[in-house]
Structures are given as structure tokens and as C-alpha cells.
Amino acid sequence: MNKKTLFSYSLLAASVCLTLSPALAMAEPSMLTQSAKASIEAPRQIILEQPGAPDYLRIKQQRGFDQTPLQSTGYWVKKGDVLTINVDYSGNVPLILDAFISVPHDRTHKYQHAQRQELNRGINTVSATVDGILYIANHSAPISSDIRINLQGGRPFPRFVLNKNSGGDWQRMLADPEMNTAPYVELLSNKMMITLRRDKAESFIQNGNPVGMLETWDNIVTWAEDQYGLTSTDIHSPHSRIQHRFHFVDGIQPKGIVNNDRCSGYMNAWSWRMQSCGEDGMEEVVNNHMLRTNSWGPWHELGHHFQMRTYTWDGMVEVSVNLTSLYVQRELGNPSRLETYKVWEEVFKYFEQAQRDYHQQDLFVKVAMLWQLDLTFGKDFYARLGKVYREIPENQQPKSSDAKVQRFILETSRLSGYDLTPFYEKWGLPLTQDTKDKIKQLSLPWMTDAIWENRDSRIKFDYSKSQEVAAPKVTLSRTTIDAIATEGSGYLYSVSASADQENVAYQWERVSGNDKITAKTPNAAKTDIVIPAGLTNTEATFRLTATNEAGKTGEAFVKVTVSAPQVVITGNDQMQIGKPITLTAKANFDSNQGNVKYLWSLTHNGTTIPDGISYNGLISDKLNAGNYVAHVTAQQDSGHRRAQSSHRFEIIGSGNIPSDKYPSYKEGTKYEAGTIVKSTNGGLYQCKPWPYTGWCSGAAWAYAPGTGLHWQEAWT
């Protein structure tokens, strides 16, 4: 972005009095005590911060730029210097760490001119091939152990850390002769890292004390996080505050250094950094008075790091970014730029046109529409909208520019609790018929007030108080439906909803998947999800929106998965001749759709064997050795689900049981314990010891294999 675009309305002319750096009446360096020296030099034993990989949160939060993975050491190097870096941590997890030597005026993407060297656990030697500041880049996921760095070599330079250093420390850093050799300074707060030329820092930082400016930056970043609903402290939440620092760098090289790379615009934003390209641009970054009153440029570049790509459609990159500038400007107590630059007057003239096309308007006229949603529905409107968008599954997020426009209209209507069709039509942002139909299905009240007349200095229609009512929380009786396809008729699943508030209206809507799967009663707390016959291997997702009387909405989702009917057979695939075995079949049918029957058959070389297998999967023990296939058909009582499967097995052995090896059982004969006889059904049974008498008899037992008290099956 160039300076002309960023400041399409010229900045207010102002006479700025620069406070010159005070005289540095310090003691001679040789008189500095060891403790005083230690207070201004960065420690050489460093415990790395562990915010995770830079893109982890950025992707989840739908933002465009990574924050910096670089962690300041407070040391810089000259070409030819040799560094020793000892990396120590517990555990066996491999880490991704780099020694990174760079300069702030490297204008390339992610500092292409930097010297990078991978750091391994233990001693690492780094020979500097360039002049620059030494950073440690941590691209790793957090681990339970501290990551300790011990640094030898390098030259200390002025590095001021908020809440660790004082204004006096800053002056001692600037006066120290060893630190005087570095052309740069670095300033760190909890959320910011700022790197710039030393002479500019001396000129721009008010009263020779960076504390107030760094505190202001921490507030600004926190406000930007608040604006987009990034308030969680859980680093795994998509709504987490950003863990990495934002890095603002001076894009102008020190005197005597040639840099032929382009520095884009007056200021710019990119992954890992924001950058000033004006000779004195860093004044807006580090002069606390300017930062608090007239630093639209730095606020704007920070806004680029917060923009959500899912509702930044074509032509809006330099528009929605200014939401952050307007929000910060208001939090600092400054009048809105839309007022001071008479943007609202242009907006209202635009409304007088018979034909209006939002997409063709000036970028500040465009942002006025977005800002009116904040003015009308409350300063937390974009925080709530951000949370809505971050919870949209990735495969359901709008991709094309037109889809982003229509989804924005739909979601802002849903969030506000009003059909905002009149608002967007007034602004010349057309709605498709599909969007109109979706809004109509939400049963929202029509926005009858002319909220497009709201401006910063006069909010005629204030709906922010209605937004203070909590959104209803919705609980569903089920959030997943795992259905099995049917052949003959459709079927349904009941889903019930309850809310923590009374007088709540409900609306079911299929948001993705197969459009043949429907909600039978779309406007009630309870509905049946209807799945027609013949659908298989498909899915759909339904959203239930609960809207209270204040227009606040809560949501819950049900995912429907339709799978093909299946039956699985388990059991041995090899068995000894003469030994029975049972195969087990299990179908994946729904238990609430009726009982399941299993019909078995057995084949040998393609020929069906009568009575070879019983209804419960018991294989006969009369089979000869060979290869067999057991077949099963599973069918539900309803008759609309059927599945088949087969199981191959082998019977091994020399043949049938010999007919003359054991005597046939004779009824009424007393058999001694341990005697084996052949039953009339062909099976072998052994007489178990009978208490007190030690003999067996009774035909009933001989005809009940394995169940009698006297006889047991015998195998040879």
C-alpha cells in the first residue's frame, strides 16, 4: 500500500514539537559498577518463550499474516564474529530452532537476506556472514520443559524491556560506549517488539523514556484483540489472544548502507512484521504523544494483522483494515476520522443517488458502512461476529468474493437479530435471492429504523443495549446421527432442543451436505431428520438457531452420516475335523429399527451343504476335510435393511471319525468313568465321573452334547 492510498484524506496539518534527547550527563564508563552494567546488558542465559508455531493461531483465526517467531537476544554481530550457542532442554521432542541474524531494513518477505542456522541440542557454533541483530527463532510447539539458551559472543546493544528496565537504564544504554557502536536499538513490551535506527530513537522517543509508549502499544494491541473477540487465555482456543509479539521495524537503512530492495508505501504490513518506509515514519510508532493522537498509519498496519479473510472480499483489504484504526482512535478518546475528515457528509450525499453501487465507492466511504454496524449494535459487534466466523467449519467457509459478501450479509443479520436487507440495499450492496430466502427462514424482525443515518457524533438508533442481553445457549438431545441406508422406505431420527431462556424461536437449516436429507419441522424445538430410502455413503449438517426476544441468537449443529448396511462375520478360519465351531455375525443396523435375523448357509466347492450350518452359526462336526464358505444374510424386521457377507474356513484332518474305534452307545448300560462311546447322532462322548458311583447312564445325556451333567464331548 502506498502513502497516497493510505492517506487518501490528507493528514491534518499540525506543528509537532519534538522533545530533544536530554544531555547524557553520565558517569565515565570505567566508573560504572558491575551491577549497573548488568542492568543494561541483556543476559546471556535466556529462557525462550514458547508461544508455538506462528501460523497455528493465525490459521484458526482466519487471519492473513503470521506474527514474528523471532525472539530478541539484545546482541548484534559483525561479519566474521563467531558465536557459541548452547541449547538445553529436557525430553526427547525434537525442536525447530534457528539462529537468525537480520536487520530491520531487510524489506523482503520474512527477511530473505538474513543468515539462518538451525540450532540443535547442545553446543552450536555460528560464524556470522552478515552484520545484524541476533535473534532466536522458535517454530516449535510448546513443550513441558524450559528451553535454555546460553550465548557466548556477540555485542550488546540498547535493548529496553518494559517492566524490567527503567528510564534511567535507557539513558545508560545510550551512553554506554560499547553499545554506541550499534546502529540500532530495540524496545520490547508484552505484545510489541520495535527495532529502529538509534539516532531516530534518540530523536523521537519522548523525554528520553520509552515506558509510556510501550504501555500504549500494549493497550492498542489488547484493544485490537478485544475488537475481534480474541479474549481467551487458552492457547488452543480459536479465540485466544495472540501469543507472539508484533514486530514494527524501521525500513530505512543507516547512513552508508546501500539497500536496493523496494520499501513499499509509507508503511506496510506483511508476515512477521510491520514496516515504516518514510525517513521519519517511525516517529508515529515510538513518539507516545503521536501514537496516542495521530498515528493512523501504525494503527492501520496493525489492523492488517487482524483482518479476517473470510469476510474480506475483493476491494476490501484497504477498507476493513480501518475498523481497527477507528476502534483504537475511539478507545484513545480521539474524534473519529470519519467526522474530522467529513466522510459522513460524503456518505449521506451518496445515499441521495438514485443508483448506488457500494463496490465503486471510496475506501473511507466503504468503511463507514462497516462502522455503522459497530455504532448501531455495540462496540462488541465485531467481537461477536469474529467468534461466529471462527466457529464455521473450514469446509463451510465462503471462498469466492461474492460468497463472502452474501455470507457477511446473512451472518450480520443473524447476529444483530434483525433482517438487515433495508440497510444493505440502502448502501447499494445487493442481496441474492438465495440470501434473502435464508434470512427469511430465520424469521427475524425487519429493520425498520434508518440505521444508515447513524454517525459517530450522532447515533440516532442505538441497538447496543439490546445486544447486552445474553444469547441463548442451546442444548441438543443428539449432535450426531449415524444412520444406515435402507432399501424400501425412508426413515427418520428425532432431535430435540432446549434453551436456557424462555420465549425462544427455533429455526433448523441444512448448512451443508445432501439436500435430500431434510428437517421435517424446521420451526420447532423438536424435529425429525428425514433420510429417504436409497441414500448411502453421504452426509449432511444441520444448524439449529435459537433467537430470543432481543434478537440474540445461539446455535447448535447436528451432523448426519449415512453409511451402507454391512454385516461382519468373525470366527476361526481353520479347525480340526470332527470339532464344531460357531461363527458370529454382527450387522451395523440401528437397534431402534427392529430385530435383526441372520440366515446362514454353507457351501463346499460351490455346492450348498444341507444342514452344514445351523441358524445360529454353528458348523456341523460331521464335515469332511476341505475348504468351505459360510454365508450369512442379515435382515431387519422392517424388511428395509439387508446385508450379506461370507467367511472362508478350512477343516483339516484325515477324514471322518472312524466308525469302529469306539462302541455305539446302548441305552441302559452302565459306563465306567472315562469310557468313550459313539452317540446315535455320530458324535463322541465320554463318561464323566458320577459322584459316589463312578458310572454313567441315561439316554437324555447322550443326546445333549456338552450339556449333560454326566456326559461330555470327546475328541480324538
Side-chain angles (χ1 to χ4, degrees), residues 600-602 608-615 618-623:
W600 292 89
S601 64
L602 190 68
T608 299
I609 303 176
D611 302 322
I613 188 168
S614 68
Y615 71 93
L618 178 66
I619 300 171
S620 171
D621 58 0
K622 307 299 186 299
L623 301 176

Side-chain angles (χ1 to χ4, degrees), residues 21-29 32 37 40 158 168-181 198 202:
S21 178
L24 304 177
M26 306 299 295
E28 290 295 326
L32 287 175
K37 186 75 170 175
I40 64 172
D169 288 339
W170 175 244
Q171 294 302 320
R172 283 188 286 274
M173 292 175 190
L174 296 179
D176 186 82
E178 185 178 10
M179 293 187 177
N180 270 335
T181 59
R198 174 197 175 97
E202 291 186 83

Side-chain angles (χ1 to χ4, degrees), residues 160-171:
F160 185 94
V161 181
L162 183 64
N163 299 323
K164 291 185 179 180
N165 296 118
S166 65
D169 288 339
W170 175 244
Q171 294 302 320

Side-chain angles (χ1 to χ4, degrees), residues 79 104 209 248 327 531 585 664 708 712:
K79 182 178 180 180
N209 188 344
F248 221 120
Y327 192 96
I531 304 173
S664 298
Q712 64 185 10

Side-chain angles (χ1 to χ4, degrees), residues 80-156:
D81 288 350
V82 177
L83 306 172
T84 301
I85 302 175
N86 186 10
V87 179
D88 180 40
Y89 61 93
S90 301
N92 297 319
V93 179
L95 300 182
I96 307 173
L97 306 175
D98 291 326
F100 202 101
I101 302 173
S102 183
V103 290
H105 61 271
D106 185 339
R107 301 160 185 168
T108 60
H109 183 246
K110 295 183 179 179
Y111 310 121
Q112 299 297 310
H113 300 316
Q115 178 185 348
R116 310 180 190 200
Q117 181 172 322
E118 182 179 353
L119 296 178
N120 300 309
R121 177 183 284 172
I123 302 296
N124 300 265
T125 300
V126 179
S127 299
T129 59
V130 296
D131 294 356
I133 300 171
L134 173 66
Y135 300 94
I136 304 296
N138 182 9
H139 305 277
S140 311
I143 63 173
S144 58
S145 165
D146 283 341
I147 306 172
R148 296 172 292 276
I149 303 293
N150 192 305
L151 171 65
Q152 297 180 35
R155 309 151 190 255

